[in-house]
Amino acid sequence: MSGRLVSSGIRLPKHVAGDGRLDLMKISLSSHAQRQTLQRIYTQRSQHRQFHVSPSQAAKSRFDSPKSEKDESRFAAAKSKKNAPKSTPEPNAAQDQGEPRVTRKEVKRERTKILLEQREQKIRELEAQEKERLEQEKQEEKRADQERQELKRLVKKQLGLETENPATEEKSRSEQSSNVVRNIFFSGVASAGALVLWEMWRFAYSTEPLNDQKFSPFEIVDRQQVSPTAFIVTVKPVVSRLGGLASQWKLAWLETLQHKLAGEGTWAVEIKQPELQVARDYTPLPELDVLSATNEYDTRGRIELFQLLKGLFSPQQSIPTFKFLIRRTEGGEVSSWLSRRKVGDTIELRGPHQSFNVVARAGYKEAEEPKRVVFLAGGTGIAPALQAAGSLFREHGQTLKKMPQVDIIWANRSKEDIKTDNPVIELLEKLKEMSRGKINYVCVVDEEGRFITANDIVAKTQITPPRKSWFWNSSKAESTPSKNDVNCYYHSSKHLITSAGEDYEKVDGENPRRQCACPVGRPSFKNLLMVSGPEGFNNHFAGPKYWADGKERQGPVGGVIGELAKKYPSLASDWLVLKL
């Protein structure tokens, strides 16, 4: 047993307890082989217990019975070392000399420092190699470029295109580069200029000086008293604050709009009373210079861009103005407020609101024979009459032979309203002269006991009573529908009853005129009998209007004209009665 323990190569005395057993907690094994040896020893000891050999006896045999002299000397040295008294270690020579003792941490730190220095040195070497490689590639690329240039020069020389002086070639190359830079610069400037012009166009087009969505400021530039209760106000758009090209653009737009409206029919704008926040429609008086101009607009009434540009770059561009004939009435919120305005004050306008297309309803130039237009105007209702007469003259100004005959009967309360120096009288006289008698007017005054009567209407319309015969009853003739009444918006009496004066449709922000639905080649143009004035004036002569679906509609013809239509069937069949 002891021989096996000695041959294991483990010094057991240090780990043997007093009873001869092994103390596992005190054993320090340095390798896997020693752990396996220890496991084998335990196995052997458990196997030899059956031979009644105690661990103390095995340890004793282990130390007391060596196998050889080598073992005996080794155990003796171990025993003497174990029994020797412990002595203090001799001081180190380095400590005696006062030098610091080197610890493991310092050794580890020095080793780490050395490793880091080696790594940095390696990185520097790699960077130097990469830099050298890039430099070589750059040199190779430069050499290849030189070879290409030399090859190109040889080709040019063979073709006779090479310049003898290399400096000239270098100069031409630099000029080409400068040309490229110059082209890029001018392209940028052109793009910026186009963008600025586009923004100006959008600004000018989206903020017209007069539109039907919001009120725009206008300045009073003139005020003329024509009677104790009536006066004429002249206004112009407030666009000077914009300045420059934008202002000129807006003025050109407004002037073009005036020409467009003057060639079609009646229209009005709203004037706001800012104190009470109410607005009323007022009809501008036509301008003679606008009426005398030729009609250059297409059939849909669009304002073309070239017309705006023509007005924009005109050397002497006039500022377009609007004139309103206003009568101050008791209880009139807007008229009383306007009567207190002076030159230089600002008022707000919104519009235009187009009403009847007189040109389309009275007949185009293709009519077989001229029609008649009779206008009954009361007071300030002369403004729509002047617009209607002016639009017809503008349409037929070049061919007055086919222009309808226009007769205006203007009723006023006092003689002050029809003085010869009245601007309205001057405008009527000018239209009469320009149309060569196609436009006539008659004034009646209440103070003189002169009023518009049914006989005046019969005389101006030139209607005749129906012929009487023994087999045809006049009452039956009155109830017979007109054969000339067609299913057309412009020329049908049935459509006119429910009409709200909407001769223009709102399409894509524009107001194109409606299309005539008369048979092709046989347009059913009719005569027009128009009534314009205060509400009582209109109701007396043509009957009241009525409201339906939030709009004021024409309604059936009543009043004096309605009674005449019963006696004169031709008045109902050949005439359209328009209430303004």
Side-chain angles (χ1 to χ4, degrees):
M1 177 67 185
S2 60
R4 292 176 182 172
L5 291 176
V6 172
S7 63
S8 64
I10 300 178
R11 298 180 181 181
L12 295 179
K14 295 182 179 180
H15 313 292
V16 177
D19 55 356
R21 293 179 298 175
L22 293 175
D23 191 352
L24 299 176
M25 299 301 296
K26 295 182 180 180
I27 297 176
S28 176
L29 301 178
S30 60
S31 66
H32 180 67
Q34 292 181 353
R35 287 195 296 271
Q36 289 182 348
T37 303
L38 181 59
Q39 185 66 28
R40 187 172 65 254
I41 292 172
Y42 274 110
T43 304
Q44 292 176 0
R45 188 176 64 175
S46 61
Q47 292 177 356
H48 287 287
R49 284 181 181 175
Q50 59 183 341
F51 298 104
H52 304 284
V53 179
S54 63
S56 60
Q57 293 175 351
K60 187 176 181 180
S61 63
R62 166 74 173 83
F63 289 98
D64 294 344
S65 304
K67 285 286 186 177
S68 62
E69 295 180 359
K70 184 177 180 181
D71 293 336
E72 184 178 1
S73 60
R74 185 173 61 220
F75 289 125
K79 185 180 291 186
S80 62
K81 185 176 181 181
K82 182 178 180 181
N83 297 329
K86 296 182 180 180
S87 59
T88 57
E90 297 181 358
N92 194 358
Q95 293 180 358
D96 293 343
Q97 297 177 2
E99 297 180 1
R101 187 177 179 181
V102 180
T103 62
R104 291 184 178 179
K105 290 184 178 180
E106 293 176 351
V107 174
K108 187 176 181 179
R109 191 180 301 113
E110 291 294 332
R111 187 178 301 169
T112 305
K113 184 177 179 181
I114 294 172
L115 292 175
L116 290 176
E117 290 179 354
Q118 293 177 354
R119 184 178 300 174
E120 292 177 358
Q121 181 66 21
K122 187 67 173 178
I123 292 173
R124 285 193 295 269
E125 292 178 356
L126 293 175
E127 290 178 351
Q129 294 176 1
E130 183 67 18
K131 186 176 181 180
E132 184 178 358
R133 186 183 64 82
L134 293 176
E135 188 68 23
Q136 291 178 357
E137 291 181 356
K138 186 176 181 180
Q139 293 294 336
E140 292 177 358
E141 185 177 356
K142 185 176 180 181
R143 192 181 305 109
D145 185 60
Q146 292 177 355
E147 292 177 356
R148 285 194 297 271
Q149 294 294 335
E150 182 66 20
L151 180 60
K152 186 185 297 184
R153 190 185 65 80
L154 292 175
V155 172
K156 287 183 178 180
K157 186 176 181 180
Q158 293 293 334
L159 297 176
L161 301 177
E162 184 189 19
T163 57
E164 297 296 335
N165 190 2
T168 306
E169 184 177 357
E170 185 67 24
K171 183 178 179 180
S172 62
R173 189 157 49 248
S174 62
E175 289 179 355
Q176 292 177 0
S177 302
S178 61
N179 290 336
V180 171
V181 174
R182 190 182 302 109
N183 293 336
I184 294 174
F185 173 76
F186 283 113
S187 299
V189 172
S191 301
L195 181 61
V196 170
L197 290 177
W198 170 249
E199 291 297 329
M200 290 184 63
W201 162 256
R202 281 181 42 187
F203 175 77
Y205 188 79
S206 61
T207 57
E208 303 92 343
L210 182 65
N211 62 83
D212 58 355
Q213 299 298 324
K214 63 179 181 179
F215 287 93
S216 303
F218 281 73
E219 181 185 354
I220 299 177
V221 295
D222 186 36
R223 187 182 186 278
Q224 184 178 1
Q225 196 78 26
V226 296
S227 73
T229 58
F231 56 94
I232 295 178
V233 174
T234 306
V235 298
K236 71 174 183 178
V238 180
V239 295
S240 58
R241 55 188 173 86
L242 299 175
L245 189 60
S247 296
Q248 297 298 321
W249 185 279
K250 289 181 179 297
L251 293 178
W253 184 92
L254 189 59
E255 185 177 2
T256 308
L257 178 64
Q258 277 187 320
H259 284 266
K260 169 186 175 295
L261 297 173
E264 294 183 345
T266 59
W267 58 283
V269 297
E270 296 178 74
I271 299 180
K272 184 174 72 172
Q273 208 273 48
E275 298 174 358
L276 300 178
Q277 292 296 313
V278 295
R280 295 290 184 269
D281 286 344
Y282 286 89
T283 303
L285 297 172
E287 298 285 347
L288 284 176
D289 57 344
V290 176
L291 296 179
S292 59
T294 58
N295 196 350
E296 299 177 353
Y297 304 93
D298 62 359
T299 56
R300 294 185 297 175
R302 284 186 172 180
I303 302 175
E304 300 296 343
L305 179 60
F306 77 92
Q307 295 159 347
L308 286 176
L309 294 176
K310 184 177 68 174
L312 177 62
F313 296 103
S314 177
Q316 295 180 352
Q317 182 183 2
S318 60
I319 298 178
T321 58
F322 296 99
K323 294 182 179 180
F324 300 95
L325 176 62
I326 301 172
R327 185 180 299 278
R328 180 176 56 84
T329 59
E330 295 296 333
E333 299 91 348
V334 181
S335 62
S336 299
W337 179 79
L338 287 173
S339 65
R340 300 190 297 270
R341 300 304 98 192
K342 301 178 181 179
V343 175
D345 292 345
T346 301
I347 62 175
E348 293 182 302
L349 275 61
R350 181 172 63 184
H353 304 300
Q354 292 180 274
S355 180
F356 290 110
N357 190 338
V358 181
V359 175
R361 289 184 178 274
Y364 299 98
K365 299 177 182 179
E366 293 80 5
E368 297 179 358
E369 60 181 8
K371 300 297 180 179
R372 300 185 65 86
V373 177
V374 177
F375 214 110
L376 308 181
T380 57
I382 189 63
L386 290 171
Q387 283 188 351
S391 62
L392 291 172
F393 171 74
R394 184 183 173 91
E395 178 70 17
H396 301 275
Q398 304 298 326
T399 56
L400 292 175
K401 184 179 179 180
K402 291 188 176 182
M403 177 180 174
Q405 180 66 38
V406 180
D407 291 293
I408 302 174
I409 306 177
W410 186 22
N412 287 280
R413 295 178 180 178
S414 65
K415 297 180 181 179
E416 298 290 337
D417 294 323
I418 57 173
K419 289 182 177 180
T420 55
D421 59 347
N422 190 326
V424 178
I425 297 296
E426 295 176 357
L427 184 58
L428 286 170
E429 288 290 339
K430 192 66 177 177
L431 285 175
K432 181 179 179 180
E433 179 184 353
M434 294 169 59
S435 64
R436 301 175 186 177
K438 285 285 187 177
I439 300 176
N440 290 312
Y441 72 97
V442 176
C443 297
V444 296
V445 181
D446 296 351
E447 292 179 348
E448 297 177 349
R450 183 78 172 87
F451 306 96
I452 301 176
T453 63
N455 293 331
D456 295 330
I457 299 175
V458 173
K460 295 299 180 181
T461 56
Q462 299 180 359
I463 55 177
T464 58
R467 297 179 180 179
K468 295 182 180 180
S469 61
W470 61 273
F471 62 91
W472 190 262
N473 191 355
S474 60
S475 61
K476 185 177 180 180
E478 294 172 8
S479 60
T480 303
S482 173
K483 296 181 180 180
N484 294 332
D485 197 13
V486 295
N487 188 20
C488 177
Y489 179 84
Y490 286 126
H491 308 117
S492 172
S493 301
K494 298 179 182 179
H495 282 286
L496 187 59
I497 294 176
T498 59
S499 173
E502 299 173 336
D503 287 1
Y504 302 88
E505 299 178 301
K506 196 76 172 179
V507 178
D508 297 334
E510 299 180 356
N511 294 336
R513 64 174 61 167
R514 295 177 182 269
Q515 299 298 322
C516 178
C518 294
V520 179
R522 294 190 302 109
S524 301
F525 299 131
K526 292 188 176 183
N527 305 304
L528 298 182
L529 178 56
M530 307 178 71
V531 183
S532 175
E535 184 177 1
F537 182 88
N538 291 349
N539 295 343
H540 173 73
F541 285 102
K545 298 180 182 180
Y546 74 97
W547 283 87
D549 300 330
K551 296 181 180 180
E552 190 177 27
R553 305 186 182 275
Q554 290 285 295
V557 179
V560 176
I561 300 175
E563 294 297 327
L564 287 176
K566 296 178 182 179
K567 298 180 182 180
Y568 301 92
S570 60
L571 183 61
S573 61
D574 298 336
W575 289 78
L576 292 177
V577 181
L578 306 180
K579 309 173 188 178
L580 299 177

